[in-house]
PDB file of all heavy atoms in Angstrom:
ATOM      1  N   ALA A  50       0.750  -1.238  -0.028  1.00  0.00           N
ATOM      2  CA  ALA A  50       0.047   0.052   0.066  1.00  0.00           C
ATOM      3  C   ALA A  50       0.924   1.227  -0.075  1.00  0.00           C
ATOM      4  O   ALA A  50       0.415   2.361  -0.536  1.00  0.00           O
ATOM      5  CB  ALA A  50      -0.934  -0.048   1.298  1.00  0.00           C
ATOM      6  N   ASP A  51       1.936   1.227   0.661  1.00  0.00           N
ATOM      7  CA  ASP A  51       2.880   2.438   0.607  1.00  0.00           C
ATOM      8  C   ASP A  51       3.781   2.560  -0.639  1.00  0.00           C
ATOM      9  O   ASP A  51       4.552   3.429  -0.669  1.00  0.00           O
ATOM     10  CB  ASP A  51       3.760   2.416   1.894  1.00  0.00           C
ATOM     11  CG  ASP A  51       3.115   2.328   3.190  1.00  0.00           C
ATOM     12  OD1 ASP A  51       1.941   2.962   3.156  1.00  0.00           O
ATOM     13  OD2 ASP A  51       3.458   1.732   4.100  1.00  0.00           O
ATOM     14  N   GLU A  52       3.801   1.627  -1.448  1.00  0.00           N
ATOM     15  CA  GLU A  52       4.592   1.404  -2.656  1.00  0.00           C
ATOM     16  C   GLU A  52       6.128   1.515  -2.307  1.00  0.00           C
ATOM     17  O   GLU A  52       6.922   2.082  -3.059  1.00  0.00           O
ATOM     18  CB  GLU A  52       4.214   2.603  -3.603  1.00  0.00           C
ATOM     19  CG  GLU A  52       2.916   2.480  -4.206  1.00  0.00           C
ATOM     20  CD  GLU A  52       2.483   3.581  -5.320  1.00  0.00           C
ATOM     21  OE1 GLU A  52       3.433   3.734  -6.160  1.00  0.00           O
ATOM     22  OE2 GLU A  52       1.455   4.283  -5.102  1.00  0.00           O
ATOM     23  N   THR A  53       6.385   0.843  -1.223  1.00  0.00           N
ATOM     24  CA  THR A  53       7.744   0.684  -0.873  1.00  0.00           C
ATOM     25  C   THR A  53       8.397  -0.804  -1.130  1.00  0.00           C
ATOM     26  O   THR A  53       9.571  -0.898  -1.020  1.00  0.00           O
ATOM     27  CB  THR A  53       7.893   1.036   0.738  1.00  0.00           C
ATOM     28  OG1 THR A  53       7.095   0.195   1.495  1.00  0.00           O
ATOM     29  CG2 THR A  53       7.647   2.538   0.833  1.00  0.00           C
ATOM     30  N   GLU A  54       7.459  -1.695  -1.347  1.00  0.00           N
ATOM     31  CA  GLU A  54       7.846  -3.085  -1.551  1.00  0.00           C
ATOM     32  C   GLU A  54       7.191  -3.673  -2.739  1.00  0.00           C
ATOM     33  O   GLU A  54       5.860  -3.745  -2.737  1.00  0.00           O
ATOM     34  CB  GLU A  54       7.563  -3.843  -0.284  1.00  0.00           C
ATOM     35  CG  GLU A  54       8.070  -5.296  -0.383  1.00  0.00           C
ATOM     36  CD  GLU A  54       7.736  -6.010   0.834  1.00  0.00           C
ATOM     37  OE1 GLU A  54       7.077  -5.508   1.841  1.00  0.00           O
ATOM     38  OE2 GLU A  54       7.912  -7.273   0.919  1.00  0.00           O
ATOM     39  N   LEU A  55       7.868  -4.112  -3.806  1.00  0.00           N
ATOM     40  CA  LEU A  55       7.296  -4.711  -4.902  1.00  0.00           C
ATOM     41  C   LEU A  55       6.980  -6.229  -4.562  1.00  0.00           C
ATOM     42  O   LEU A  55       7.957  -6.902  -4.106  1.00  0.00           O
ATOM     43  CB  LEU A  55       8.164  -4.553  -6.155  1.00  0.00           C
ATOM     44  CG  LEU A  55       7.809  -5.239  -7.416  1.00  0.00           C
ATOM     45  CD1 LEU A  55       6.503  -4.589  -7.932  1.00  0.00           C
ATOM     46  CD2 LEU A  55       8.856  -5.178  -8.512  1.00  0.00           C
ATOM     47  N   PHE A  56       5.701  -6.725  -4.699  1.00  0.00           N
ATOM     48  CA  PHE A  56       5.459  -7.940  -4.497  1.00  0.00           C
ATOM     49  C   PHE A  56       5.534  -8.842  -5.716  1.00  0.00           C
ATOM     50  O   PHE A  56       6.228  -9.910  -5.775  1.00  0.00           O
ATOM     51  CB  PHE A  56       4.085  -8.226  -4.006  1.00  0.00           C
ATOM     52  CG  PHE A  56       3.683  -7.537  -2.741  1.00  0.00           C
ATOM     53  CD1 PHE A  56       2.375  -7.090  -2.430  1.00  0.00           C
ATOM     54  CD2 PHE A  56       4.618  -7.531  -1.605  1.00  0.00           C
ATOM     55  CE1 PHE A  56       2.091  -6.498  -1.212  1.00  0.00           C
ATOM     56  CE2 PHE A  56       4.276  -6.975  -0.345  1.00  0.00           C
ATOM     57  CZ  PHE A  56       2.999  -6.484  -0.274  1.00  0.00           C
ATOM     58  N   LEU A  57       5.016  -8.435  -6.816  1.00  0.00           N
ATOM     59  CA  LEU A  57       4.966  -9.169  -8.025  1.00  0.00           C
ATOM     60  C   LEU A  57       5.011  -8.274  -9.288  1.00  0.00           C
ATOM     61  O   LEU A  57       4.623  -7.106  -9.162  1.00  0.00           O
ATOM     62  CB  LEU A  57       3.701  -9.868  -8.154  1.00  0.00           C
ATOM     63  CG  LEU A  57       3.385 -11.111  -7.165  1.00  0.00           C
ATOM     64  CD1 LEU A  57       1.871 -11.503  -7.116  1.00  0.00           C
ATOM     65  CD2 LEU A  57       4.210 -12.359  -7.414  1.00  0.00           C
ATOM     66  N   ALA A  58       5.663  -8.712 -10.322  1.00  0.00           N
ATOM     67  CA  ALA A  58       5.541  -8.028 -11.610  1.00  0.00           C
ATOM     68  C   ALA A  58       5.555  -9.109 -12.720  1.00  0.00           C
ATOM     69  O   ALA A  58       5.981 -10.117 -12.562  1.00  0.00           O
ATOM     70  CB  ALA A  58       6.896  -7.056 -11.756  1.00  0.00           C
ATOM     71  N   GLY A  59       5.057  -8.622 -13.842  1.00  0.00           N
ATOM     72  CA  GLY A  59       5.068  -9.544 -14.964  1.00  0.00           C
ATOM     73  C   GLY A  59       4.730  -8.857 -16.321  1.00  0.00           C
ATOM     74  O   GLY A  59       4.370  -7.730 -16.356  1.00  0.00           O
ATOM     75  N   ASP A  60       4.870  -9.676 -17.398  1.00  0.00           N
ATOM     76  CA  ASP A  60       4.647  -9.174 -18.728  1.00  0.00           C
ATOM     77  C   ASP A  60       3.300  -9.779 -19.153  1.00  0.00           C
ATOM     78  O   ASP A  60       3.047 -10.916 -19.049  1.00  0.00           O
ATOM     79  CB  ASP A  60       5.804  -9.598 -19.718  1.00  0.00           C
ATOM     80  CG  ASP A  60       7.065  -8.902 -19.223  1.00  0.00           C
ATOM     81  OD1 ASP A  60       7.108  -7.752 -18.841  1.00  0.00           O
ATOM     82  OD2 ASP A  60       8.132  -9.627 -19.312  1.00  0.00           O
ATOM     83  N   GLU A  61       2.428  -8.858 -19.844  1.00  0.00           N
ATOM     84  CA  GLU A  61       1.235  -9.310 -20.419  1.00  0.00           C
ATOM     85  C   GLU A  61       1.061  -8.815 -21.697  1.00  0.00           C
ATOM     86  O   GLU A  61       1.630  -7.829 -22.180  1.00  0.00           O
ATOM     87  CB  GLU A  61       0.204  -8.763 -19.463  1.00  0.00           C
ATOM     88  CG  GLU A  61       0.180  -9.200 -18.072  1.00  0.00           C
ATOM     89  CD  GLU A  61      -1.050  -8.481 -17.262  1.00  0.00           C
ATOM     90  OE1 GLU A  61      -1.248  -7.342 -17.399  1.00  0.00           O
ATOM     91  OE2 GLU A  61      -1.590  -9.228 -16.450  1.00  0.00           O
ATOM     92  N   ALA A  62       0.044  -9.453 -22.542  1.00  0.00           N
ATOM     93  CA  ALA A  62      -0.379  -9.005 -23.784  1.00  0.00           C
ATOM     94  C   ALA A  62      -1.912  -9.000 -23.727  1.00  0.00           C
ATOM     95  O   ALA A  62      -2.458 -10.004 -23.056  1.00  0.00           O
ATOM     96  CB  ALA A  62       0.187  -9.840 -24.868  1.00  0.00           C
ATOM     97  N   GLY A  63      -2.629  -8.057 -24.321  1.00  0.00           N
ATOM     98  CA  GLY A  63      -4.121  -8.004 -24.196  1.00  0.00           C
ATOM     99  C   GLY A  63      -4.718  -7.299 -25.277  1.00  0.00           C
ATOM    100  O   GLY A  63      -4.081  -6.784 -26.296  1.00  0.00           O
ATOM    101  N   THR A  64      -6.095  -7.218 -25.165  1.00  0.00           N
ATOM    102  CA  THR A  64      -6.950  -6.571 -26.199  1.00  0.00           C
ATOM    103  C   THR A  64      -7.994  -5.731 -25.290  1.00  0.00           C
ATOM    104  O   THR A  64      -8.502  -6.074 -24.254  1.00  0.00           O
ATOM    105  CB  THR A  64      -7.652  -7.644 -26.958  1.00  0.00           C
ATOM    106  OG1 THR A  64      -6.619  -8.471 -27.582  1.00  0.00           O
ATOM    107  CG2 THR A  64      -8.499  -6.914 -28.152  1.00  0.00           C
ATOM    108  N   THR A  65      -8.274  -4.511 -25.890  1.00  0.00           N
ATOM    109  CA  THR A  65      -9.319  -3.752 -25.403  1.00  0.00           C
ATOM    110  C   THR A  65     -10.296  -3.598 -26.500  1.00  0.00           C
ATOM    111  O   THR A  65     -10.026  -3.308 -27.721  1.00  0.00           O
ATOM    112  CB  THR A  65      -8.828  -2.340 -25.010  1.00  0.00           C
ATOM    113  OG1 THR A  65      -7.881  -2.434 -23.860  1.00  0.00           O
ATOM    114  CG2 THR A  65      -9.917  -1.420 -24.520  1.00  0.00           C
ATOM    115  N   THR A  66     -11.572  -3.647 -26.178  1.00  0.00           N
ATOM    116  CA  THR A  66     -12.666  -3.346 -27.110  1.00  0.00           C
ATOM    117  C   THR A  66     -13.254  -2.014 -26.648  1.00  0.00           C
ATOM    118  O   THR A  66     -13.768  -1.868 -25.666  1.00  0.00           O
ATOM    119  CB  THR A  66     -13.796  -4.408 -27.028  1.00  0.00           C
ATOM    120  OG1 THR A  66     -13.147  -5.695 -27.364  1.00  0.00           O
ATOM    121  CG2 THR A  66     -14.964  -4.030 -28.073  1.00  0.00           C
ATOM    122  N   ALA A  67     -12.949  -1.060 -27.382  1.00  0.00           N
ATOM    123  CA  ALA A  67     -13.289   0.398 -27.104  1.00  0.00           C
ATOM    124  C   ALA A  67     -14.529   0.745 -27.685  1.00  0.00           C
ATOM    125  O   ALA A  67     -14.849   0.677 -28.855  1.00  0.00           O
ATOM    126  CB  ALA A  67     -12.263   1.410 -27.520  1.00  0.00           C
ATOM    127  N   ARG A  68     -15.598   1.013 -26.763  1.00  0.00           N
ATOM    128  CA  ARG A  68     -16.947   1.544 -27.228  1.00  0.00           C
ATOM    129  C   ARG A  68     -17.064   2.862 -26.610  1.00  0.00           C
ATOM    130  O   ARG A  68     -17.512   3.002 -25.468  1.00  0.00           O
ATOM    131  CB  ARG A  68     -17.926   0.573 -26.787  1.00  0.00           C
ATOM    132  CG  ARG A  68     -17.699  -0.942 -27.283  1.00  0.00           C
ATOM    133  CD  ARG A  68     -18.614  -1.886 -26.892  1.00  0.00           C
ATOM    134  NE  ARG A  68     -18.938  -1.698 -25.360  1.00  0.00           N
ATOM    135  CZ  ARG A  68     -19.586  -2.495 -24.637  1.00  0.00           C
ATOM    136  NH1 ARG A  68     -20.131  -3.588 -25.100  1.00  0.00           N
ATOM    137  NH2 ARG A  68     -19.869  -2.239 -23.417  1.00  0.00           N
ATOM    138  N   GLN A  69     -16.831   3.906 -27.392  1.00  0.00           N
ATOM    139  CA  GLN A  69     -17.058   5.327 -26.950  1.00  0.00           C
ATOM    140  C   GLN A  69     -18.489   5.530 -26.340  1.00  0.00           C
ATOM    141  O   GLN A  69     -19.437   5.101 -26.847  1.00  0.00           O
ATOM    142  CB  GLN A  69     -16.819   6.304 -28.079  1.00  0.00           C
ATOM    143  CG  GLN A  69     -15.438   6.252 -28.633  1.00  0.00           C
ATOM    144  CD  GLN A  69     -14.306   6.699 -27.731  1.00  0.00           C
ATOM    145  OE1 GLN A  69     -14.633   7.469 -26.822  1.00  0.00           O
ATOM    146  NE2 GLN A  69     -13.133   6.137 -27.887  1.00  0.00           N
ATOM    147  N   GLY A  70     -18.412   6.167 -25.182  1.00  0.00           N
ATOM    148  CA  GLY A  70     -19.711   6.424 -24.522  1.00  0.00           C
ATOM    149  C   GLY A  70     -20.231   5.380 -23.650  1.00  0.00           C
ATOM    150  O   GLY A  70     -21.263   5.412 -22.965  1.00  0.00           O
ATOM    151  N   LYS A  71     -19.677   4.075 -23.760  1.00  0.00           N
ATOM    152  CA  LYS A  71     -20.082   2.950 -23.087  1.00  0.00           C
ATOM    153  C   LYS A  71     -18.930   2.314 -22.353  1.00  0.00           C
ATOM    154  O   LYS A  71     -17.827   2.623 -22.611  1.00  0.00           O
ATOM    155  CB  LYS A  71     -20.791   1.864 -24.046  1.00  0.00           C
ATOM    156  CG  LYS A  71     -21.978   2.390 -24.664  1.00  0.00           C
ATOM    157  CD  LYS A  71     -22.474   1.315 -25.607  1.00  0.00           C
ATOM    158  CE  LYS A  71     -23.628   1.866 -26.507  1.00  0.00           C
ATOM    159  NZ  LYS A  71     -24.073   0.854 -27.403  1.00  0.00           N
ATOM    160  N   ASN A  72     -19.202   1.327 -21.470  1.00  0.00           N
ATOM    161  CA  ASN A  72     -18.098   0.641 -20.889  1.00  0.00           C
ATOM    162  C   ASN A  72     -17.413  -0.038 -21.870  1.00  0.00           C
ATOM    163  O   ASN A  72     -17.875  -0.641 -22.814  1.00  0.00           O
ATOM    164  CB  ASN A  72     -18.654  -0.438 -19.843  1.00  0.00           C
ATOM    165  CG  ASN A  72     -19.086   0.343 -18.587  1.00  0.00           C
ATOM    166  OD1 ASN A  72     -18.791   1.488 -18.264  1.00  0.00           O
ATOM    167  ND2 ASN A  72     -19.755  -0.548 -17.673  1.00  0.00           N
ATOM    168  N   SER A  73     -15.987   0.015 -21.825  1.00  0.00           N
ATOM    169  CA  SER A  73     -15.142  -0.767 -22.662  1.00  0.00           C
ATOM    170  C   SER A  73     -14.514  -1.898 -21.871  1.00  0.00           C
ATOM    171  O   SER A  73     -14.147  -1.735 -20.807  1.00  0.00           O
ATOM    172  CB  SER A  73     -14.111   0.249 -23.271  1.00  0.00           C
ATOM    173  OG  SER A  73     -14.742   1.200 -24.050  1.00  0.00           O
ATOM    174  N   ASN A  74     -14.376  -2.976 -22.634  1.00  0.00           N
ATOM    175  CA  ASN A  74     -13.823  -4.215 -22.028  1.00  0.00           C
ATOM    176  C   ASN A  74     -12.399  -4.530 -22.369  1.00  0.00           C
ATOM    177  O   ASN A  74     -11.979  -4.063 -23.511  1.00  0.00           O
ATOM    178  CB  ASN A  74     -14.714  -5.398 -22.446  1.00  0.00           C
ATOM    179  CG  ASN A  74     -16.119  -5.286 -22.014  1.00  0.00           C
ATOM    180  OD1 ASN A  74     -16.436  -4.805 -20.900  1.00  0.00           O
ATOM    181  ND2 ASN A  74     -17.017  -5.496 -23.048  1.00  0.00           N
ATOM    182  N   TRP A  75     -11.690  -5.147 -21.554  1.00  0.00           N
ATOM    183  CA  TRP A  75     -10.209  -5.473 -21.834  1.00  0.00           C
ATOM    184  C   TRP A  75      -9.991  -6.786 -21.108  1.00  0.00           C
ATOM    185  O   TRP A  75     -10.552  -7.246 -20.172  1.00  0.00           O
ATOM    186  CB  TRP A  75      -9.302  -4.445 -21.331  1.00  0.00           C
ATOM    187  CG  TRP A  75      -9.404  -4.169 -19.790  1.00  0.00           C
ATOM    188  CD1 TRP A  75     -10.267  -3.212 -19.123  1.00  0.00           C
ATOM    189  CD2 TRP A  75      -8.624  -4.830 -18.747  1.00  0.00           C
ATOM    190  NE1 TRP A  75     -10.068  -3.404 -17.779  1.00  0.00           N
ATOM    191  CE2 TRP A  75      -9.040  -4.329 -17.517  1.00  0.00           C
ATOM    192  CE3 TRP A  75      -7.668  -5.765 -18.789  1.00  0.00           C
ATOM    193  CZ2 TRP A  75      -8.499  -4.633 -16.383  1.00  0.00           C
ATOM    194  CZ3 TRP A  75      -7.041  -6.124 -17.585  1.00  0.00           C
ATOM    195  CH2 TRP A  75      -7.555  -5.569 -16.452  1.00  0.00           C
ATOM    196  N   ARG A  76      -8.930  -7.436 -21.734  1.00  0.00           N
ATOM    197  CA  ARG A  76      -8.418  -8.801 -20.991  1.00  0.00           C
ATOM    198  C   ARG A  76      -7.033  -8.879 -21.438  1.00  0.00           C
ATOM    199  O   ARG A  76      -6.592  -8.513 -22.565  1.00  0.00           O
ATOM    200  CB  ARG A  76      -9.350  -9.840 -21.482  1.00  0.00           C
ATOM    201  CG  ARG A  76      -8.943 -10.782 -22.455  1.00  0.00           C
ATOM    202  CD  ARG A  76      -9.873 -11.914 -22.760  1.00  0.00           C
ATOM    203  NE  ARG A  76     -10.460 -12.473 -21.585  1.00  0.00           N
ATOM    204  CZ  ARG A  76     -11.596 -13.063 -21.508  1.00  0.00           C
ATOM    205  NH1 ARG A  76     -12.313 -13.056 -22.584  1.00  0.00           N
ATOM    206  NH2 ARG A  76     -12.031 -13.593 -20.329  1.00  0.00           N
ATOM    207  N   THR A  77      -6.175  -9.486 -20.496  1.00  0.00           N
ATOM    208  CA  THR A  77      -4.810  -9.764 -20.755  1.00  0.00           C
ATOM    209  C   THR A  77      -4.411 -11.106 -20.174  1.00  0.00           C
ATOM    210  O   THR A  77      -5.132 -11.668 -19.312  1.00  0.00           O
ATOM    211  CB  THR A  77      -3.890  -8.681 -20.012  1.00  0.00           C
ATOM    212  OG1 THR A  77      -4.017  -8.889 -18.649  1.00  0.00           O
ATOM    213  CG2 THR A  77      -4.189  -7.205 -20.501  1.00  0.00           C
ATOM    214  N   ASN A  78      -3.385 -11.738 -20.789  1.00  0.00           N
ATOM    215  CA  ASN A  78      -2.802 -12.930 -20.221  1.00  0.00           C
ATOM    216  C   ASN A  78      -1.253 -12.691 -20.198  1.00  0.00           C
ATOM    217  O   ASN A  78      -0.725 -11.951 -21.082  1.00  0.00           O
ATOM    218  CB  ASN A  78      -3.098 -14.089 -21.192  1.00  0.00           C
ATOM    219  CG  ASN A  78      -4.553 -14.526 -21.103  1.00  0.00           C
ATOM    220  OD1 ASN A  78      -5.108 -14.781 -20.042  1.00  0.00           O
ATOM    221  ND2 ASN A  78      -5.289 -14.334 -22.281  1.00  0.00           N
ATOM    222  N   GLY A  79      -0.659 -13.201 -19.174  1.00  0.00           N
ATOM    223  CA  GLY A  79       0.885 -12.948 -19.080  1.00  0.00           C
ATOM    224  C   GLY A  79       1.472 -14.041 -18.214  1.00  0.00           C
ATOM    225  O   GLY A  79       0.908 -15.074 -17.895  1.00  0.00           O
ATOM    226  N   THR A  80       2.686 -13.643 -17.660  1.00  0.00           N
ATOM    227  CA  THR A  80       3.567 -14.444 -16.965  1.00  0.00           C
ATOM    228  C   THR A  80       4.140 -13.597 -15.813  1.00  0.00           C
ATOM    229  O   THR A  80       4.644 -12.482 -16.082  1.00  0.00           O
ATOM    230  CB  THR A  80       4.660 -15.124 -17.810  1.00  0.00           C
ATOM    231  OG1 THR A  80       4.096 -15.777 -18.895  1.00  0.00           O
ATOM    232  CG2 THR A  80       5.566 -16.091 -16.941  1.00  0.00           C
ATOM    233  N   VAL A  81       4.194 -14.138 -14.658  1.00  0.00           N
ATOM    234  CA  VAL A  81       4.865 -13.456 -13.542  1.00  0.00           C
ATOM    235  C   VAL A  81       6.421 -13.585 -13.761  1.00  0.00           C
ATOM    236  O   VAL A  81       6.916 -14.700 -13.911  1.00  0.00           O
ATOM    237  CB  VAL A  81       4.540 -14.134 -12.174  1.00  0.00           C
ATOM    238  CG1 VAL A  81       5.442 -13.409 -10.949  1.00  0.00           C
ATOM    239  CG2 VAL A  81       3.061 -13.943 -11.954  1.00  0.00           C
ATOM    240  N   THR A  82       7.069 -12.481 -13.953  1.00  0.00           N
ATOM    241  CA  THR A  82       8.630 -12.424 -14.109  1.00  0.00           C
ATOM    242  C   THR A  82       9.368 -12.060 -13.000  1.00  0.00           C
ATOM    243  O   THR A  82      10.599 -12.194 -12.949  1.00  0.00           O
ATOM    244  CB  THR A  82       8.949 -11.527 -15.281  1.00  0.00           C
ATOM    245  OG1 THR A  82       8.493 -10.162 -14.987  1.00  0.00           O
ATOM    246  CG2 THR A  82       8.329 -11.925 -16.575  1.00  0.00           C
ATOM    247  N   GLU A  83       8.676 -11.470 -11.911  1.00  0.00           N
ATOM    248  CA  GLU A  83       9.394 -11.120 -10.715  1.00  0.00           C
ATOM    249  C   GLU A  83       8.451 -11.382  -9.491  1.00  0.00           C
ATOM    250  O   GLU A  83       7.222 -11.080  -9.568  1.00  0.00           O
ATOM    251  CB  GLU A  83       9.777  -9.554 -10.572  1.00  0.00           C
ATOM    252  CG  GLU A  83      10.730  -9.106 -11.722  1.00  0.00           C
ATOM    253  CD  GLU A  83      10.926  -7.631 -11.722  1.00  0.00           C
ATOM    254  OE1 GLU A  83      11.155  -7.063 -10.481  1.00  0.00           O
ATOM    255  OE2 GLU A  83      10.827  -6.936 -12.656  1.00  0.00           O
ATOM    256  N   ALA A  84       8.991 -12.063  -8.454  1.00  0.00           N
ATOM    257  CA  ALA A  84       8.289 -12.357  -7.327  1.00  0.00           C
ATOM    258  C   ALA A  84       9.056 -12.375  -6.051  1.00  0.00           C
ATOM    259  O   ALA A  84      10.228 -12.868  -6.021  1.00  0.00           O
ATOM    260  CB  ALA A  84       7.577 -13.801  -7.393  1.00  0.00           C
ATOM    261  N   TYR A  85       8.689 -11.605  -5.049  1.00  0.00           N
ATOM    262  CA  TYR A  85       9.440 -11.393  -3.936  1.00  0.00           C
ATOM    263  C   TYR A  85       8.795 -11.767  -2.578  1.00  0.00           C
ATOM    264  O   TYR A  85       7.524 -11.720  -2.513  1.00  0.00           O
ATOM    265  CB  TYR A  85       9.880  -9.841  -3.867  1.00  0.00           C
ATOM    266  CG  TYR A  85      10.595  -9.447  -5.061  1.00  0.00           C
ATOM    267  CD1 TYR A  85       9.876  -8.713  -6.059  1.00  0.00           C
ATOM    268  CD2 TYR A  85      11.895  -9.681  -5.223  1.00  0.00           C
ATOM    269  CE1 TYR A  85      10.529  -8.316  -7.202  1.00  0.00           C
ATOM    270  CE2 TYR A  85      12.621  -9.363  -6.415  1.00  0.00           C
ATOM    271  CZ  TYR A  85      11.895  -8.684  -7.400  1.00  0.00           C
ATOM    272  OH  TYR A  85      12.505  -8.282  -8.547  1.00  0.00           O
ATOM    273  N   GLY A  86       9.585 -12.071  -1.575  1.00  0.00           N
ATOM    274  CA  GLY A  86       9.063 -12.333  -0.165  1.00  0.00           C
ATOM    275  C   GLY A  86       8.058 -13.502  -0.259  1.00  0.00           C
ATOM    276  O   GLY A  86       8.514 -14.547  -0.902  1.00  0.00           O
ATOM    277  N   GLU A  87       6.991 -13.418   0.334  1.00  0.00           N
ATOM    278  CA  GLU A  87       6.030 -14.482   0.549  1.00  0.00           C
ATOM    279  C   GLU A  87       5.430 -14.851  -0.807  1.00  0.00           C
ATOM    280  O   GLU A  87       4.773 -15.907  -0.949  1.00  0.00           O
ATOM    281  CB  GLU A  87       4.934 -14.130   1.539  1.00  0.00           C
ATOM    282  CG  GLU A  87       4.013 -13.036   1.040  1.00  0.00           C
ATOM    283  CD  GLU A  87       2.983 -12.603   2.017  1.00  0.00           C
ATOM    284  OE1 GLU A  87       1.944 -13.359   2.157  1.00  0.00           O
ATOM    285  OE2 GLU A  87       3.215 -11.564   2.792  1.00  0.00           O
ATOM    286  N   PHE A  88       5.707 -14.065  -1.820  1.00  0.00           N
ATOM    287  CA  PHE A  88       5.115 -14.404  -3.243  1.00  0.00           C
ATOM    288  C   PHE A  88       6.070 -15.117  -4.103  1.00  0.00           C
ATOM    289  O   PHE A  88       5.795 -15.276  -5.316  1.00  0.00           O
ATOM    290  CB  PHE A  88       4.591 -13.148  -3.833  1.00  0.00           C
ATOM    291  CG  PHE A  88       3.520 -12.447  -2.991  1.00  0.00           C
ATOM    292  CD1 PHE A  88       3.841 -11.326  -2.259  1.00  0.00           C
ATOM    293  CD2 PHE A  88       2.262 -13.052  -2.993  1.00  0.00           C
ATOM    294  CE1 PHE A  88       2.800 -10.774  -1.372  1.00  0.00           C
ATOM    295  CE2 PHE A  88       1.311 -12.442  -2.193  1.00  0.00           C
ATOM    296  CZ  PHE A  88       1.618 -11.297  -1.420  1.00  0.00           C
ATOM    297  N   GLU A  89       7.315 -15.456  -3.641  1.00  0.00           N
ATOM    298  CA  GLU A  89       8.343 -16.001  -4.543  1.00  0.00           C
ATOM    299  C   GLU A  89       7.910 -17.320  -5.218  1.00  0.00           C
ATOM    300  O   GLU A  89       8.366 -17.507  -6.360  1.00  0.00           O
ATOM    301  CB  GLU A  89       9.647 -16.382  -3.692  1.00  0.00           C
ATOM    302  CG  GLU A  89      10.396 -15.246  -3.216  1.00  0.00           C
ATOM    303  CD  GLU A  89      11.541 -15.565  -2.368  1.00  0.00           C
ATOM    304  OE1 GLU A  89      11.590 -16.691  -1.896  1.00  0.00           O
ATOM    305  OE2 GLU A  89      12.493 -14.753  -2.366  1.00  0.00           O
ATOM    306  N   ASP A  90       6.978 -18.090  -4.682  1.00  0.00           N
ATOM    307  CA  ASP A  90       6.564 -19.292  -5.304  1.00  0.00           C
ATOM    308  C   ASP A  90       5.742 -19.045  -6.580  1.00  0.00           C
ATOM    309  O   ASP A  90       5.436 -19.888  -7.314  1.00  0.00           O
ATOM    310  CB  ASP A  90       5.721 -20.159  -4.326  1.00  0.00           C
ATOM    311  CG  ASP A  90       6.472 -20.781  -3.233  1.00  0.00           C
ATOM    312  OD1 ASP A  90       7.793 -20.875  -3.483  1.00  0.00           O
ATOM    313  OD2 ASP A  90       6.004 -21.239  -2.262  1.00  0.00           O
ATOM    314  N   TRP A  91       5.334 -17.750  -6.803  1.00  0.00           N
ATOM    315  CA  TRP A  91       4.508 -17.470  -7.955  1.00  0.00           C
ATOM    316  C   TRP A  91       5.312 -17.143  -9.190  1.00  0.00           C
ATOM    317  O   TRP A  91       4.694 -16.863 -10.236  1.00  0.00           O
ATOM    318  CB  TRP A  91       3.480 -16.348  -7.578  1.00  0.00           C
ATOM    319  CG  TRP A  91       2.619 -16.789  -6.453  1.00  0.00           C
ATOM    320  CD1 TRP A  91       2.677 -16.508  -5.254  1.00  0.00           C
ATOM    321  CD2 TRP A  91       1.424 -17.713  -6.595  1.00  0.00           C
ATOM    322  NE1 TRP A  91       1.779 -17.209  -4.413  1.00  0.00           N
ATOM    323  CE2 TRP A  91       0.983 -17.943  -5.295  1.00  0.00           C
ATOM    324  CE3 TRP A  91       0.848 -18.338  -7.645  1.00  0.00           C
ATOM    325  CZ2 TRP A  91      -0.102 -18.673  -5.091  1.00  0.00           C
ATOM    326  CZ3 TRP A  91      -0.139 -19.208  -7.420  1.00  0.00           C
ATOM    327  CH2 TRP A  91      -0.667 -19.338  -6.068  1.00  0.00           C
TER     328      TRP A  91
END
């Protein structure tokens, strides 16, 4: 919450369906490339 400790990071690729004036949808898939502390197993 304080942005002093990075837990996880990764690379993703995705698609957004942009509909002006309405909710737009997005989705991504990726891989965890960095994991620290209690999240190392990920």
Side-chain angles (χ1 to χ4, degrees):
D51 299 329
E52 296 184 50
T53 57
E54 184 181 355
L55 180 62
F56 293 148
L57 296 161
D60 298 322
E61 298 177 319
T64 303
T65 297
T66 303
R68 302 177 317 189
Q69 297 293 335
K71 300 179 182 178
N72 286 348
S73 295
N74 301 317
W75 61 272
R76 103 178 318 152
T77 65
N78 292 303
T80 304
V81 176
T82 59
E83 296 178 49
Y85 303 99
E87 66 183 280
F88 302 102
E89 286 179 342
D90 288 343
W91 298 101

